[in-house]
Structure formats: C-alpha cells, structure tokens
Amino acid sequence: MRTLVKNIKELVGVETSPKQRKEGKEMSVLETVKDAYLVIEDGKVQAFGEMKDLKEGNADQVVDATGRMVFPSFCDSHTHLVYANSREHEFVDKIRGLSYEEIAKRGGGILNSAKATAAASEEELYDMAQRRLEEVVRLGTGAIEIKSGYGLSTDSELKLLRVIRRLKENSPLTIKSNFLGAHGIPMEYRGHQEDYVDLVINEMIPKVAAEGLADFIDVFCDKGFFTVEDTARILEAGIKYGMRPKIHANEMAVSGGVQVGVKYNAISVDHLEQMGDAEIECLKGSATMPTILPGCAFFLNLPLSPARKMIDAGLSVAMASDYNPGTAPSNNMQLVLSMACIRYRLTPEEAFNATTLNTAYAMGVSEEVGSIAVGKKANFYITKPISSYEYMPYAFGENKVERTFLNGKEV
Ligand code: NIG
Ligand code: FE
C-alpha cells in the first residue's frame, strides 16, 4: 500500500538525520519542508521533499493537503488513562480550599479511584479506556504510555495491566505499559507502609512479570507517598524482572526522587514541580528524560517546573499530559503544546520537540515515532487550514487537527 500526501503547505518536524532525543540548544531546531509531499509505503515513511522534486509514481491513495500542514503525531509519555470514575467532587473541594494532600489523607484522591476500579470489571474498564483512546487520536496523539496504579491490590493491578495489554493488541496507537503498584498507600497499610512495599515487591512484580504485562516500573516517590528508600527497593525489584524505571518525582517536595531515578537509570523522571540546582546537575549527562506535566500543575495550581532553566542548562525536556481523573483530567496534547509556550516560555520549536521526539524517547520509542523520518511509522496529522506552525500553540484550546493517520492508515 502506497499513499501520497501532496501539496502540503508545510511539513513540520522532519528529520534527515534522526536523533534519539534533542537537548539544550538542539531543542530549538525544528526542520520543516514548505510546499511538500510525503510518501508512505506499508505504514512507514518512505520519502518526503518539495513538490517540485516529486516524481509521481503509482500511489494507491492520494491525499491533497492544499492549505494544510502536516505534523508528526504527538507522543504522550505519561498517562493514567485506565480508570473507572471521574473525580469532579474533589475538584470542587479543591476550589473550596482543600489541598490535594489533604484530600488524599482523608481517603480521597488515588484511593477514591482505587475503590471504583476494584468494583469495575475488566470489560467495563476496557470499554471506557478504548473510548478515551479514540478521543486522544482525534486530538493528534499517536503514541501513548499508560500506567496501572488505580488498583493497589494484586488482583486490581493485574486487571488494569491486562486492560492495557488488550489496548496494545487492538489499537493502532503505539502503546507502552507502566506498572505503578506503588501509586498510593491503601488505608489498611497506613502506619506500616513497608508492608505494602513488600507486597508490591514480593507478590505484584513477579506476577506482573510472569504475564509480561509491564514495560516499565513506576513509583510515586514524594512527600506523603513513597520514600526514596521504598522507591529504591521497588525499582531494584522491577529491574530484576526486566522493567525499566520511569517514575513520578518531585511533585510535592524536593524529595530525592530525581536522584533515585537517575541512580537507577530511569528512562524518565516526571512532574518536577519542585526542582533545585542539585536536581538539574544530577540530570546532566544522564540517560533520564526530565518530563514536565503542565496539565497537572495547571489543574492543581502548583509551582511551574523550571523548564527554561533546564533547557538553558543543556538538558532535554519532554512534556506530557498526565491524563488522569485526579490531577489532570485533560487528554489534550495540543493544550500541553500551548502551555509549554505560554506558561513555561518554550519557543514553539522547543515545544514541538518536547511533545513529540522527546516524549517518544521518554517512552522508549523514539526510533519508531516522534518525527517524520524515512523508515519511521507514518504517524501524523493533517491540520485544518492554518497560517503557520506557530498557530498551533498560539490558538490554545482549539482543535486544529482535521485528519489523523497512524501506521499510514487514516483513523
Ligand atoms: O501523576 N502524582 C501522582 N499520580 C497522579 C495523580 C493521580 C490521582 O490523583 O488520581 C499524577 O498526578
Ligand atoms: Fe502521573
């Protein structure tokens, strides 16, 4: 199957010599081709270039993109997309003055989601998640990481991970799964949380591994949740079973989360609202992608992660949605792109790299997605008629995506 997309006003995010990720000054490099064509063969990018150089061969499908731009699909490297219930009542509690930590302490928050998840069947969870995936595709996302973490018991965690496995099997998106058994401390373990950590290590991880259910191992390493010591133990156990660390760190406090993540070669450390100079230093020269979650900071009114400072220090930065019912009930990577520019002062070029190639790296798939490059999956979207690529972050809240293609097929 050969598809030609022609008369593209501007083809954005191409790579002639593909990189695994972009860091520091490289983040402001965004290659584009004006008045372009794109050829897809068997689901992969086969060629691209200027219309004047197009040698029209046989194509099974021709798409005319006159007036429209083409972008690589967003990669959303941090989501909790499998959940049973929304939590707008807590949202109202927060408006009335309760903090996220206070709600969590009295059994709301993650434990609220865990209760509803325990009551839902695998089938129900799958149907809900499937519908959510269809929505994110319409907004331009083509690859997504999905965590468990609303189970908090062995059975419920396995149920969530099996749902993610079914999504992987049936969805055109590129999906990676992350086991987040250590997301919250169940009520019955309060005061002796080391016993819950033992359960994660001795029972959950071996069972998850036996069914091959997780690509990554996650821990909510933060004040009021899991300690650096808990985190180290869990990551070591996950690594033994072939899961690479990819963790929550430094949302509530400068907690040592970044350091423990880097120590265990995490593919990413995520949140980073609370960062000191030591954290930035520690990330330098590491393989760990610092990942910021603008939707969560917006929704909880948290301090902003020092993205500008990190990029100026030469680091890579990725930005993902954190899509979840408690702290970021938004699936919209176009909005993340806008917030990257508006709230974190990234240039549009940096923001595109932060939400495509660098998030692809943060979920271990930057060799196959994250840019338009020969041999990569043909995951892209065609916009509505727009004036320039800067319009994408500028027009926040509007869906600029008209058509989406995953593996070269329109979805
Ligand atoms: O990434 N910080 C920890 N976990 C989620 C929130 C989960 C929830 O409140 O349901 C997050 O923000
Ligand atoms: Fe999260």
Side-chain angles (χ1 to χ4, degrees):
M1 169 88 177
R2 191 177 163 88
T3 302
L4 167 67
V5 188
K6 65 179 189 180
N7 299 325
I8 304 167
K9 178 172 174 167
E10 193 162 3
L11 176 62
V12 183
V14 303
E15 282 193 296
T16 36
S17 28
K19 288 184 177 318
Q20 299 263 320
R21 59 172 166 170
K22 289 190 181 169
E23 36 189 20
K25 287 198 171 61
E26 289 169 348
M27 281 190 68
S28 47
V29 178
L30 185 70
E31 279 183 74
T32 77
V33 184
K34 289 197 168 130
D35 194 20
Y37 71 87
L38 173 66
V39 178
I40 298 123
E41 181 102 53
D42 297 330
K44 302 255 166 75
V45 173
Q46 200 240 338
F48 58 84
E50 289 182 52
M51 278 304 287
K52 67 177 174 47
D53 300 325
L54 173 65
K55 292 175 212 53
E56 232 166 299
N58 297 338
D60 304 295
Q61 185 191 16
V62 178
V63 178
D64 189 343
T66 300
R68 290 150 171 86
M69 296 199 178
V70 169
F71 291 82
S73 301
F74 292 108
C75 300
D76 193 351
S77 61
H78 183 133
T79 82
H80 308 247
L81 173 135
V82 187
Y83 58 85
N85 64 331
S86 59
R87 305 212 313 254
E88 62 272 25
H89 302 298
E90 293 176 4
F91 165 69
V92 177
D93 288 341
K94 274 183 239 138
I95 297 170
R96 296 216 164 100
L98 281 185
S99 73
Y100 180 68
E101 277 167 300
E102 284 162 341
I103 291 170
K105 264 204 198 111
R106 58 178 209 190
I110 294 166
L111 297 188
N112 173 347
S113 288
K115 210 165 151 193
T117 302
S121 70
E122 186 179 317
E123 209 51 42
E124 286 166 335
L125 288 166
Y126 177 79
D127 288 344
M128 285 187 264
Q130 178 58 40
R131 278 199 293 279
R132 289 181 197 127
L133 275 187
E134 284 166 14
E135 283 295 318
V136 306
V137 170
R138 273 195 272 285
L139 291 164
T141 296
I144 195 162
E145 177 255 21
I146 309 175
K147 301 168 195 300
S148 66
Y150 290 130
L152 307 184
S153 70
T154 305
D155 286 348
S156 272
E157 284 296 315
L158 288 170
K159 179 167 69 178
L160 289 167
L161 289 166
R162 289 182 191 127
V163 168
I164 302 171
R165 178 172 60 193
R166 282 175 65 191
L167 296 171
K168 277 189 187 186
E169 287 164 359
N170 299 324
S171 163
L173 285 108
T174 300
I175 299 177
K176 290 283 174 185
S177 59
N178 195 350
F179 170 55
L180 177 55
H183 193 193
I185 297 133
M187 275 300 184
E188 60 274 28
Y189 288 94
R190 294 276 162 100
H192 56 110
Q193 76 183 65
E194 59 288 353
D195 292 338
Y196 184 66
V197 174
D198 286 342
L199 180 76
V200 171
I201 292 173
N202 299 325
E203 186 173 296
M204 293 191 196
I205 290 178
K207 289 198 171 163
V208 169
E211 288 186 45
L213 290 171
D215 300 301
F216 301 112
I217 174 94
D218 200 342
V219 178
F220 187 6
C221 176
D222 225 315
K223 188 173 150 228
F225 292 85
F226 293 88
T227 65
V228 167
E229 292 70 34
D230 297 336
T231 305
R233 288 182 57 210
I234 294 168
L235 297 187
E236 276 174 23
I239 290 167
K240 265 197 218 133
Y241 284 93
M243 303 169 198
R244 182 149 179 207
K246 174 168 174 59
I247 70 167
H248 284 74
N250 295 54
E251 176 184 354
M252 309 295 169
V254 182
S255 60
V258 169
Q259 284 82 350
V260 73
V262 170
K263 179 174 174 203
Y264 288 98
N265 193 33
I267 196 161
S268 73
V269 285
D270 301 20
H271 272 287
L272 314 182
E273 284 85 2
Q274 307 285 343
M275 291 283 279
D277 290 342
E279 279 66 30
I280 293 180
E281 272 314 302
C282 164
L283 283 158
K284 284 188 187 164
S286 78
T288 301
M289 176 63 70
T291 301
I292 295 168
L293 309 169
C296 174
F298 175 68
F299 191 74
L300 295 186
N301 278 309
L302 298 177
L304 299 187
S305 182
R308 191 63 275 145
K309 199 170 166 185
M310 290 196 266
I311 296 173
D312 293 344
L315 294 181
S316 294
V317 165
M319 293 205 187
S321 74
D322 196 15
Y323 185 20
N324 77 72
T327 69
S330 167
N331 52 4
N332 191 339
M333 285 297 283
Q334 292 180 58
L335 191 54
V336 171
L337 181 81
S338 293
M339 287 197 274
C341 296
I342 297 163
R343 304 242 294 163
Y344 296 83
R345 314 312 296 173
L346 267 61
T347 63
E349 294 79 9
E350 290 170 331
F352 279 113
N353 284 317
T355 50
T356 55
L357 187 68
N358 283 358
T359 34
Y361 177 94
M363 51 185 284
V365 293
S366 65
E367 281 176 8
E368 41 179 310
V369 293
S371 63
I372 307 283
V374 172
K376 280 196 178 184
K377 286 185 185 174
N379 283 8
F380 61 93
Y381 58 85
I382 303 178
T383 64
K384 296 169 182 165
I386 59 171
S387 43
S388 67
Y389 68 69
E390 290 91 342
Y391 185 85
M392 288 291 293
Y394 157 83
F396 74 94
E398 171 188 329
N399 187 8
K400 280 96 31 184
V401 172
E402 190 169 82
R403 300 172 72 175
T404 55
F405 291 74
L406 296 177
N407 306 303
K409 284 207 191 82
E410 185 153 17
V411 282

